Amino acid sequence: MNPETPVDTPVEAPVDETSVDGTSAETPVDEEAARLHRAKVWGGAERTLWSTSVDGTVGSRLRELAAWTEAAGHEEAPLDTYGNGLVEELERRVAEELGFPAAVFFPTGTMAQQVALRCWAGRTGSPVVALHPLGHPEVHENGAFGAVSGLRTVHPTDAPRLPTAEEVRDHPEPFGTLMLELPLRDAGFVLPSWEELTEAVEAARERDAVVHFDGARLWETTTHFGRGLAEIAGLADSVYVSFYKSLGGMSGAVLAGPEDVMEEARIWRHRYGGMVFQQYPAALSALRGLDVELPRLPSYVAHARVVADAVREAFAEAGTGWFRVHPETPHTHQFQVWLPYDPDVLTAAALAQTEDTGTAFFRRWFTPGAAGPPGVSFTELTVAGSGLEWTAEDVKEAVRDFLARVGG
């Protein structure tokens, strides 16, 4: 099986985050059973490149958080009520990290970004948001911008990358906000160069538009850009960041920006139902991520490049035929791998490898949908703390074992 090399066109990406343990089973009952089985197998693996946010058990995750809470001196902190205490501490910490005067904690990123863009729409007088069609709001939120917040979206480009300055400048429709997802996950965790990013931002300013960064994974962009978080975030008027994607938190997000916009954001957070009575577990896990995971992300990005090279070499040495590692040099600690097989076949091989050897390397595979060539599937690889122990030869050995189970 050796289809033509796919062109660089957008693809349908896996359902956000929890899709790691999703399923393509035929009935809801079978689907849930398959998901739970995969979660149990991959969550219990003895050796992994990374652990997902749903690996482990309730007891293990709570014990881990309790141990860190005690070690970090938070054990005697008072419980929060409607966003005070630990939640305020988290907001101050993120505002400082990103170089903004204020920040607001939200239970979800979906809510945070709708609020941000609603606030900007009121200030610019335009409900139109320019963003990529592979951006999170377009792919993973069931049309929430239009259905809930009265926003309308336009797309300066549909190429699998962020828009260029020329595309922003020449887009024929007016818009009030340019929203840039850094990195653009569903295109392969891709980032522009620093020069391309600054030029796109400046092009938006020329159109009197504000700039908002969907920075769910902004934390891991510093290596690619060669800049600190505050300098990167400082290009935008507001930034949203997530805690469970890169930092291993339970849930939650923060929106950072000017004081007046954040004050309005707090009002809309209440109106949207985001004033949760107590959120100390999520706030603690986010603080833990900032202390423990954030300093390690550059090492994860560096090692992802070692892993990507080893995967490519293993496929070539095995005579796999057509394959793709995208980007060739990962921009962050996450990247895509493509192979010309049915996704169920590849997922079954990955699951069997873990069941037989205790090693989880690849996990679930997906079809690229109508935009991709037939007979091709892709998966996402992440390199985190446990992955730093993998040598290039370890990676090659795992790939060889996986291919033997596929029959390739």
Side-chain angles (χ1 to χ4, degrees):
M1 197 172 186
N2 187 21
E4 296 179 359
T5 302
V7 295
D8 285 331
T9 52
V11 299
E12 292 179 9
V15 177
D16 196 25
E17 300 315 310
T18 54
S19 68
V20 171
D21 298 310
T23 181
S24 59
E26 295 181 357
T27 68
V29 174
D30 291 342
E31 179 179 345
E32 180 64 8
R35 185 193 70 79
L36 291 174
H37 177 63
R38 279 195 285 269
K40 181 178 180 180
V41 172
W42 284 326
E46 299 169 5
R47 193 177 194 204
T48 66
L49 278 179
W50 82 103
S51 295
T52 76
S53 58
V54 295
D55 286 344
T57 65
V58 171
S60 64
R61 292 298 296 271
L62 288 177
R63 284 190 293 271
E64 180 185 65
L65 183 58
W68 177 83
T69 300
E70 183 177 2
H74 292 295
E75 190 176 31
E76 298 303 321
L79 297 175
D80 65 289
T81 305
Y82 291 124
N84 64 9
L86 288 168
V87 175
E88 290 177 325
E89 179 179 340
L90 177 61
E91 291 172 341
R92 288 192 296 270
R93 175 76 181 274
V94 174
E96 181 181 339
E97 291 280 358
L98 300 182
F100 281 98
V104 183
F105 183 79
F106 284 82
T108 72
T110 298
M111 185 186 295
Q113 299 209 107
Q114 285 200 55
V115 166
L117 296 170
R118 186 161 196 154
C119 291
W120 287 125
R123 284 161 171 75
T124 64
S126 170
V128 182
V129 180
L131 78 169
H132 198 283
L134 289 180
H136 193 281
E138 300 290 69
V139 179
H140 299 293
E141 296 178 17
N142 292 317
F145 272 11
V148 179
S149 298
L151 301 170
R152 185 168 68 85
T153 60
V154 296
H155 305 144
T157 183
D158 61 3
R161 53 159 175 75
L162 288 172
T164 65
E166 183 179 6
E167 290 165 339
V168 171
R169 189 178 294 112
D170 295 342
H171 187 71
E173 291 191 68
F175 54 85
T177 304
L178 174 66
M179 178 177 176
L180 300 175
E181 183 177 325
L182 301 173
L184 187 56
R185 178 264 183 103
D186 287 336
F189 306 98
V190 296
L191 290 163
S193 69
W194 179 252
E195 292 73 19
E196 290 168 337
L197 178 61
T198 56
E199 289 169 2
V201 168
E202 180 56 34
R205 305 274 189 237
E206 292 173 11
R207 298 187 60 143
D208 295 324
V210 298
V211 177
H212 171 76
F213 284 171
D214 176 342
R217 298 172 174 83
L218 189 77
W219 311 112
E220 65 252 33
T221 64
T222 56
T223 298
H224 177 83
F225 288 133
R227 304 291 198 283
L229 278 171
E231 186 175 358
I232 298 168
L235 292 178
D237 297 284
S238 61
V239 176
Y240 138 71
V241 290
S242 175
F243 298 114
Y244 74 90
K245 291 181 173 68
S246 307
L247 302 184
M250 288 182 178
S251 62
V254 156
L255 176 66
E259 283 277 5
D260 63 325
V261 179
M262 294 303 99
E263 282 301 311
E264 184 183 358
R266 291 181 187 279
I267 296 171
W268 281 109
R269 178 181 64 180
H270 198 172
R271 290 170 175 163
Y272 274 71
M275 280 291 286
V276 180
F277 179 54
Q278 289 187 321
Q279 300 182 92
Y280 62 90
L284 281 168
S285 67
L287 288 166
R288 177 190 177 278
L290 291 172
D291 282 351
V292 176
E293 290 298 313
L294 182 58
R296 304 183 72 186
L297 282 173
S299 67
Y300 299 168
V301 176
H303 202 59
R305 298 172 179 178
V306 175
V307 172
D309 286 343
V311 169
R312 188 182 301 106
E313 291 171 12
F315 284 151
E317 292 168 2
T320 304
W322 183 86
F323 64 86
R324 186 184 188 196
V325 176
H326 174 68
E328 288 193 10
T329 299
H331 296 173
T332 72
H333 69 312
Q334 299 178 285
F335 58 95
Q336 293 178 341
V337 177
W338 293 57
L339 285 173
Y341 294 90
D342 182 89
D344 289 342
V345 171
L346 297 173
T347 299
L351 193 65
Q353 181 179 36
T354 306
E355 290 175 315
D356 293 345
T357 69
T359 294
F361 190 74
F362 296 121
R363 298 199 182 195
R364 194 178 175 212
W365 293 73
F366 304 89
T367 58
V376 169
S377 304
F378 76 100
T379 190
E380 298 172 343
L381 281 185
T382 299
V383 176
S386 57
L388 297 179
E389 301 175 1
W390 290 65
T391 66
E393 185 53 40
D394 291 334
V395 172
K396 291 182 181 180
E397 182 180 347
V399 173
R400 287 192 292 264
D401 180 75
F402 169 77
L403 289 174
R405 296 170 190 279
V406 175

